[in-house]
Amino acid sequence: MTDPIHEKDLIESTLQDVHGAASRYLARLDDLPAKDPQADALAREFEGELPEDGLGSLEALKALLGRGQIAATRSAGPRFFHFVIGGSTPAALAADWFASALDNNAGLWVSSPLAAQLEKVSLAWLKDLFGLPNQWGGVLVTGATMANFTALAAARQWCGERHGVDVARDGLAGLPPVAVLSSGFIHASAVKALGMLGLGYGSVRRLAADAAGRIDLEALERSLVSLRGAPAIVIATAGEVNAGGFDPIEAMVDVAHRHNAWLHVDGAFGLYARLSPRLAHLAAGMELVDSVISDGHKWLNVPYDSGFAFVRDERLLHAVFGIGAPYFPEAIAGRPDYLMLGPEMSRRARSIAVWATLAAYGRSGYREMVERHVQLARRLADQVNAADDFELIEEPVLNVVCFRYRPGGVSDDELDELNRRLGQAVIDDGRVYFGTTVYAGKVAFRPAISNWRTSDVEVDEILPIARELGARLRAGAAT
Ligand SMILES: *Cc1c(COP(=O)(O)O)cnc(C)c1O
């Protein structure tokens, strides 16, 4: 078997193999540990030379469906609380499979009317869902990192225009350094985006009022005043990754706009607070900012990779990303070409899964899921508060619970090391999955609840497993 053209009549059987294996896998997923103990070893078995003569699809697929499946984490399942990771809803998963079958390039309307139209509709629906003005520009990208990049590129262009410079065309050399201000909540991906944009990831000034990183609003105002009207960028975070905290968006946008600054909000998962009347106060004022981004592959529960950027002034996205080529068709009103609004030219048709999941579950389905997850976080926090061997670091406001192991008889200065070792033990054990962070100067756990499958059954496993592994660690240390 060499040239794939000889395999045309194998498509049905390869897809049937995958369908069978995936269906059986997903049917067991609620009962499986978050990671198989053999995963690391089986992953390493994928090695060897590039084959001169291929195995053919059926043989190649066999390895993936067999040991490949065990080497993967069950991040699609209900026990994966590490990072902030969503699963794939039934509608999103099925639509994403179909998107691969269609294999359309979502760059231009002519390359896929379906993908372009569904992107337009999805972005309009997402703005509606998040309560953002419908005339804002938007684009689908690979995730919150590239969404931060895209929106901050618009911010950079805006700063350049204030100085009379077209940064996209002429670069940054003609500009004074652009001040970038944030709280301690700023996410690593926004910092990375600043580096990629030539603004310098070292340029961000974190104006924190406390060890957790909460914004010092007076320091923000003082810093902006000292710039004497020079354009600046303020980055706010809605949903901090360690404990789920929110920067005060309304207060920050007010200060920013009084002093000629652009306010960008990273709402990778926190923007979803706006789906619930009970939680919306956390992210109030979002309709007043200049740009805001979020993730699809986290709380929307669509497959990787999927994120969205929204910018108040769509013209700025065109100014940065709207670089044409002689082989592109002429722009036609009502036939959007999304490669002109974002960093990629050829693009996966991510809109297909986003559209399908929003069509399938609607506003109320997502509101219910978000509220259910927030209640589960509350449930876990209550269990932590009731336990005498665990300590809540911060009352959860959303879906992340920041706590640590604190059994009797362990001194304060041993706690960081104990929690770090317990975090590793949880990962090695694999029944449930979450890691450690450092928040407010303490090593702590930060399980996040964002998978559509997760219920109280799995959340209730977290503390008993951590307790069991913690006791084992301490018994081992004592011998
Ligand atoms: C996850 C996250 C990001 C990065 O998102 P990716 O989808 O991994 O690129 C950025 N900001 C916040 C607040 C996040 O939680």
Side-chain angles (χ1 to χ4, degrees), residues 83-84 142-148 185-190 237-241 266-270 293-298 304-307 446:
F83 314 112
V84 182
T142 53
T145 305
M146 282 314 285
N148 276 325
F185 286 0
I186 188 171
H187 190 267
S189 67
T237 303
E240 185 271 345
V241 285
D266 176 351
F269 59 95
I293 65 97
S294 195
D295 251 325
H297 51 225
K298 289 179 181 169
Y304 287 95
D305 38 24
S306 180
R446 47 171 291 265

Side-chain angles (χ1 to χ4, degrees), residues 185 212 214 239-240 242-246 279 281-282 374-387 390-404 439-440 442 444-447:
F185 286 0
R214 272 174 269 269
E240 185 271 345
N242 296 305
F246 284 71
L279 304 165
H281 66 275
L282 294 167
V374 172
Q375 270 167 17
L376 288 172
R378 186 66 254 167
R379 179 185 177 95
L380 175 59
D382 290 344
Q383 291 171 358
V384 171
N385 277 329
F390 289 96
E391 175 190 35
L392 200 61
I393 303 292
E394 183 104 17
E395 289 292 335
V397 291
L398 204 65
N399 60 336
V400 184
V401 185
C402 189
F403 71 98
R404 65 177 175 173
Y439 182 74
K442 296 169 181 139
F445 309 119
R446 47 171 291 265

